[in-house]
Amino acid sequence: MATWAKAPDFADQPARQAEVRAQTVVDKQRYLEQGLTPLRCQACQSQVLVRKSSSHQTSVEWVDNPAAHCPVFAELSRKGSAPGRPDTCGQLEKTIKWAVDEGVLEVPD
């Protein structure tokens, strides 16, 4: 019985399946790790990794648990907020804007 899949699994083509898996590893590394710039919040010194993909899109990866270093996230955690809400804090946003303005973070055209 055939089942629907979003993409073929190439189960009948082992060499092709290995190629797809290898490319997936490369793609994950490119999308999740490349272009990230280390940045410390000017207010609380929390370390994050930041990538600007456009003037409107910013990716932020926290190096450590944000509630352990950022007072905004610490307060949210004490109140029982779920991770990722909010996505950032105002002070970190100001630091990222500063980094863009100073040329520390590049914004692609």
Side-chain angles (χ1 to χ4, degrees), residues 31 36-37 48-53 57-61 96:
Y31 291 119
L36 291 169
T37 301
V48 294
L49 302 173
V50 181
R51 175 180 47 236
K52 290 292 289 178
S53 298
Q57 198 282 329
T58 304
S59 297
V60 176
E61 295 290 329
I96 292 169

Side-chain angles (χ1 to χ4, degrees), residues 44-99:
C44 70
Q45 300 302 307
S46 292
Q47 171 106 18
V48 294
L49 302 173
V50 181
R51 175 180 47 236
K52 290 292 289 178
S53 298
S54 72
S55 60
H56 299 293
Q57 198 282 329
T58 304
S59 297
V60 176
E61 295 290 329
W62 288 84
V63 174
D64 293 313
N65 177 358
H69 300 280
C70 175
V72 171
F73 281 94
E75 180 64 22
L76 290 169
S77 179
R78 278 191 291 277
K79 292 179 178 177
S81 294
R85 301 287 184 248
D87 295 328
T88 189
C89 79
Q91 294 301 318
L92 181 58
E93 288 179 1
K94 287 179 185 177
T95 299
I96 292 169
K97 182 183 180 327
W98 169 86

